[in-house]
Amino acid sequence: MKLKTIALTTVSTNMTPAQKLYEGKAKIIYTTEDPDILLAEFKDDATAFNAQKRGTIQGKGSINCTISSKLFQKLAADGIKNHFIDSPASHQMRVKAVKIVPLEVVVRNIAAGSLCKQTGLELGTILEKPLVEFYYKDDNLGDPLLTRDRLRLLKLATEEQVESLINLALQVNNFLQDFWKQCGITLVDFKLEFGLDSQQQLLLADEISPDTCRLWDMAQSDPNQRVMDKDRFRQDLGNVENAYQAVLQRVLQLLES
């Protein structure tokens, strides 16, 4: 089936950023006239294996920004607070300024990726209950998996914050599993990031997209054809742009139905 390409037109009234604050692998963060608001500009750059593999996915920035914006709005309506304010352009998102907790919170529903490599579990094994893991956000260290004792040792988060992160991650998982299922997509696993606002309140941050979620097409049984996420780039499966466009198309169709 030939996929319909969705054109994402950049709004002519783009916010003018004040100053570049930070540039990461997937986004550039700018300050704005309001110190409590930042502008995130999503890039088409693609990286994998701790940036050892680099490339470009045409239109990725706009696609990921649009998907993330829609999901953040839906999550907020579902009671899960996040940093999203609005999207002045297809590749831009205005967000609340937060201090990012230096942890990647990974939720796994099905065995894939590093979980299979590190445990010997067969790809596609359905887990009895969601597995929540913490990884230290430090490229120089290779973003290592952390135990609760190591979290405590490094003082990356308080015990109360760790419990809140777990609870919030599971709430997001419940929401996303249902949302992606309605899109005909299986949510295998995904990565979340959180930040603390000026009131020290934990807010869901960063993005939720095919870059951060492992997504499988429910209509496909072939282990390569079903992949609709960045694994197509990681594993050189081809048709990366088409896969990202297909995810966006299903999200928009669901929300517009």
Side-chain angles (χ1 to χ4, degrees), residues 31-77:
T31 61
T32 68
E33 295 177 354
D34 187 333
D36 293 324
I37 296 176
L38 300 175
L39 180 70
E41 189 168 282
F42 287 62
K43 304 193 296 184
D44 288 350
D45 295 354
T47 63
F49 312 118
N50 199 19
Q52 294 180 31
K53 180 177 182 178
R54 295 177 178 272
T56 301
I57 301 173
Q58 189 65 37
K60 180 177 82 75
S62 291
I63 290 171
N64 284 356
C65 184
T66 301
I67 293 173
S68 296
S69 297
K70 301 294 185 183
L71 288 173
F72 279 137
Q73 291 176 75
K74 294 287 287 183
L75 283 162

Side-chain angles (χ1 to χ4, degrees), residues 133-145:
E133 299 178 325
F134 294 96
Y135 292 80
Y136 190 8
K137 275 179 59 64
D138 190 316
D139 288 343
N140 293 328
L141 297 176
D143 300 331
L145 175 65

Side-chain angles (χ1 to χ4, degrees), residues 21-247:
L21 185 64
Y22 167 80
E23 181 167 0
K25 300 169 189 173
K27 288 180 286 295
I28 304 174
I29 307 299
Y30 295 97
T31 61
T32 68
E33 295 177 354
D34 187 333
D36 293 324
I37 296 176
L38 300 175
L39 180 70
E41 189 168 282
F42 287 62
K43 304 193 296 184
D44 288 350
D45 295 354
T47 63
F49 312 118
N50 199 19
Q52 294 180 31
K53 180 177 182 178
R54 295 177 178 272
T56 301
I57 301 173
Q58 189 65 37
K60 180 177 82 75
S62 291
I63 290 171
N64 284 356
C65 184
T66 301
I67 293 173
S68 296
S69 297
K70 301 294 185 183
L71 288 173
F72 279 137
Q73 291 176 75
K74 294 287 287 183
L75 283 162
D78 206 51
I80 298 173
K81 297 178 180 179
N82 58 73
H83 71 164
F84 177 81
I85 297 175
D86 59 26
S87 180
S90 65
H91 66 299
Q92 293 179 336
M93 184 187 295
R94 287 201 317 154
V95 298
K96 299 172 186 174
V98 296
K99 180 180 180 181
I100 292 293
V101 178
L103 294 171
E104 293 181 350
V105 185
V106 174
V107 183
R108 302 181 186 275
N109 299 304
I110 299 172
S114 61
L115 183 61
C116 293
K117 295 177 183 177
Q118 295 168 359
T119 65
L121 283 171
E122 184 178 353
L123 175 68
T125 301
I126 299 175
L127 307 185
E128 291 184 4
K129 63 179 183 178
L131 175 65
V132 180
E133 299 178 325
F134 294 96
Y135 292 80
Y136 190 8
K137 275 179 59 64
D138 190 316
D139 288 343
N140 293 328
L141 297 176
D143 300 331
L145 175 65
L146 296 177
T147 63
R148 291 289 289 268
D149 284 342
R150 289 190 178 188
L151 271 172
R152 191 178 299 111
L153 174 67
L154 296 172
K155 299 180 180 178
L156 299 175
T158 66
E159 291 286 346
E160 182 180 359
Q161 287 171 343
V162 170
E163 290 302 323
S164 294
L165 289 170
I166 293 172
N167 291 332
L168 285 168
L170 291 174
Q171 289 179 49
V172 174
N173 185 47
N174 288 336
F175 172 88
L176 289 179
Q177 277 189 304
D178 180 65
F179 181 87
W180 289 123
K181 184 178 180 180
Q182 292 182 67
C183 293
I185 296 172
T186 297
L187 177 62
V188 178
D189 56 37
F190 60 99
K191 171 184 74 72
L192 297 174
E193 294 187 23
F194 293 85
L196 293 167
D197 66 11
S198 58
Q199 306 300 315
Q200 296 301 296
Q201 177 180 223
L202 271 174
L203 299 180
L204 178 62
D206 194 42
E207 65 179 283
I208 303 174
S209 71
D211 264 17
T212 61
C213 298
R214 189 171 267 119
L215 306 169
W216 290 351
D217 188 346
M218 287 182 173
Q220 293 284 352
S221 58
D222 183 275
N224 290 335
Q225 292 297 322
R226 68 187 176 187
V227 175
M228 303 182 75
D229 54 75
K230 199 165 74 169
D231 272 352
R232 300 207 69 84
F233 172 74
R234 292 188 187 97
Q235 300 172 18
D236 296 316
L237 299 178
N239 294 318
V240 184
E241 289 87 355
N242 286 346
Y244 277 60
Q245 279 278 353
V247 174

Side-chain angles (χ1 to χ4, degrees), residues 6 8 63 66-67 243-253:
I6 298 176
L8 294 171
I63 290 171
T66 301
I67 293 173
Y244 277 60
Q245 279 278 353
V247 174
L248 174 63
Q249 180 177 332
R250 295 193 192 188
V251 168
L252 295 180
Q253 286 176 342

